Amino acid sequence: MGAYILRRLALIIPTLFGIMVINFALVQFVPGGPIEQIIARMEGGGDVFESFSGGGSEMQRDLQGAGNAGTSQYVGARGLPPEFIAELEKEFGFDKPPVERFFSMMWDYMRFDFGESYFRSISVVDLVIEKLPVSITLGLWSTVIAYLVSIPLGIRKAVNDGTQFDTWTSGLIIVGYAIPGFLFAILLLVVFAGGSYLQWFPLRGLTSDNWEELSLLGKIVDYFWHIALPVLASTISAFATLTLLTKNSFLDEIKKQYVMTAKAKGLSERRVLYGHVFRNAMLIVIAGFPAVFVSVFFGGSLIIETIFSLDGLGRLGFEAAVSRDYPVIFGTLFVFGLIGLLMGLISDLMYVWIDPRIDFETRET
């Protein structure tokens, strides 16, 4: 098993490198880069330069005093002096060829140096750490709740396949799966968060304003009070998928010969179900835990965060893409890509942990 793990770890490097190459190359063809974003903000009176190191206000005064001096390759920058544009390019490193910029960026990333955001006076690492609690809250609790509810429900549906219980729970699951997460989130806000009906839950934020003044128990209650609706909204689709996956997996195992043999030996149904069927049926369910967590953690939180006014990684990624904040875009892409590849390895290890009969050493990587 050790050799397999080493091979998989070695494959992470070229895979991650390929991900970064493709995304870096695509970004080069996307119009409206950081410099064009800055020019547009300056023309609109934005204060983005206040966050620059090295005198943003001086650059802004240069803009205000610039006449129709020179031309520029940037749309909307005809009134800016070439020296000002050159200073911006040097500030962002765009005075170097793309290939040189890419390998310089990757060298920094290999040393886990992700630089500083273009438009915020904060490093990418500190920015991600600042937004991480919201995404961890949504990803972790949504995944845990989905598994705690879906697995027992899926097992019961498999055991009672074709009964009224199976029929009406399947109807509820299909309805839940069909409802978009953002629509369900809005419904929860309207009904339970001060909309047209009840006001049981807070409208926004992860904690109350008086968080620091609360006792330990008060902080725990306040935390769960705030996350109840966002977590419920982000869980609904994963809950439906996981329940049906569990049911179908158990149904496939229940119909196999070894189950009939175990029953013929006089074993109780519970002993057969949890002593024999459970291990085999749960392979695909439990081994998929890392992938489910990553998908909820990184992919499905933008709309939920926006609706509930939560400042997490979903909104961070969206805002970075809109403003062309390349250090944030590529830094988070590198970290999340690395985490995703490691989760794939963890999924394989979970297969072996659940069923020791599986041996990846005999497989060619």
Side-chain angles (χ1 to χ4, degrees), residues 270-301:
R270 184 178 182 83
R271 178 87 178 272
V272 172
L273 187 63
Y274 292 100
H276 295 76
V277 176
F278 187 85
R279 172 177 291 182
N280 296 325
M282 291 305 294
L283 268 175
I284 189 173
V285 178
I286 295 180
F289 179 88
V292 173
F293 175 72
V294 169
S295 64
V296 177
F297 186 76
F298 298 134
S301 61

Side-chain angles (χ1 to χ4, degrees), residues 78-320:
R78 297 191 181 94
L80 298 179
E83 296 81 9
F84 181 79
I85 300 298
E87 188 177 352
L88 281 179
E89 290 179 338
K90 186 177 181 180
E91 179 86 21
F92 290 112
F94 293 136
D95 56 334
K96 301 174 183 178
V99 175
E100 182 180 347
R101 285 191 282 118
F102 174 77
F103 282 102
S104 176
M105 179 186 72
M106 290 302 298
W107 172 247
D108 291 336
Y109 286 3
M110 294 301 293
R111 294 179 290 131
F112 292 95
D113 178 10
F114 301 105
E116 185 173 303
S117 169
Y118 283 162
F119 305 122
R120 311 175 192 222
S121 298
I122 185 173
S123 68
V124 174
V125 173
D126 292 338
L127 189 60
V128 170
I129 292 175
E130 178 185 318
K131 312 296 183 183
L132 205 54
V134 171
S135 296
I136 288 179
T137 292
L138 291 178
L140 180 61
W141 288 115
S142 297
T143 306
V144 169
I145 292 174
Y147 269 79
L148 289 178
V149 175
S150 298
I151 291 177
L153 179 59
I155 294 174
R156 187 174 178 185
K157 284 176 63 62
V159 173
N160 297 279
D161 184 43
T163 63
Q164 288 187 351
F165 173 81
D166 180 44
T167 301
W168 68 261
T169 52
S170 294
L172 291 178
I173 289 173
I174 292 173
V175 171
Y177 184 77
I179 298 177
F182 74 91
L183 186 60
F184 188 59
I186 294 174
L187 178 64
L188 291 176
L189 280 178
V190 171
V191 177
F192 298 108
S196 303
Y197 300 95
L198 306 173
Q199 194 170 358
W200 290 353
F201 296 93
L203 191 59
R204 60 176 59 87
L206 199 60
T207 57
S208 299
D209 295 335
N210 62 337
W211 165 264
E212 298 296 336
E213 303 173 4
L214 299 175
S215 63
L216 178 60
L217 179 60
K219 289 181 178 180
I220 295 175
V221 173
D222 183 76
Y223 170 73
F224 283 104
W225 183 47
H226 279 77
I227 70 171
L229 296 186
V231 167
L232 183 59
S234 60
T235 303
I236 185 170
S237 59
F239 161 77
T241 303
L242 190 57
T243 301
L244 294 179
L245 178 63
T246 303
K247 175 192 173 182
N248 293 333
S249 180
F250 268 81
L251 280 178
D252 289 340
E253 292 297 323
I254 288 174
K255 296 177 182 178
K256 291 184 178 179
Q257 183 63 41
Y258 75 90
V259 177
M260 300 179 184
T261 302
K263 290 181 178 180
K265 291 181 178 180
L267 296 179
S268 64
E269 183 175 349
R270 184 178 182 83
R271 178 87 178 272
V272 172
L273 187 63
Y274 292 100
H276 295 76
V277 176
F278 187 85
R279 172 177 291 182
N280 296 325
M282 291 305 294
L283 268 175
I284 189 173
V285 178
I286 295 180
F289 179 88
V292 173
F293 175 72
V294 169
S295 64
V296 177
F297 186 76
F298 298 134
S301 61
L302 171 59
I303 297 178
I304 302 299
E305 289 175 10
T306 302
I307 292 175
F308 290 97
S309 299
L310 300 174
D311 196 10
L313 293 177
R315 291 183 65 181
L316 173 64
F318 174 75
E319 291 171 358

Side-chain angles (χ1 to χ4, degrees), residues 20 24 49 64 113 139 180 193 227 239 259 315 324 334 337 339:
M20 298 301 296
F24 186 87
F49 283 103
Q64 294 170 353
D113 178 10
I227 70 171
F239 161 77
V259 177
R315 291 183 65 181
R324 306 296 193 270
F334 181 88
I339 292 175

Side-chain angles (χ1 to χ4, degrees), residues 21-43:
V21 167
I22 293 173
N23 284 274
F24 186 87
L26 290 174
V27 164
Q28 306 310 306
F29 299 99
V30 177
I35 295 180
E36 291 174 316
Q37 294 286 325
I38 292 169
I39 293 170
R41 294 190 187 193
M42 292 175 67
E43 290 179 342

Side-chain angles (χ1 to χ4, degrees), residues 1-2 4-6 8-9 283 287 290 342-356 358 360:
M1 193 63 188
Y4 172 77
I5 294 175
L6 290 177
R8 286 291 301 270
L9 290 175
L283 268 175
L342 290 175
M343 285 298 180
L345 174 59
I346 292 174
S347 294
D348 288 346
L349 297 180
M350 290 187 73
Y351 271 112
V352 178
W353 176 65
I354 297 169
D355 190 350
I358 296 177
F360 287 106

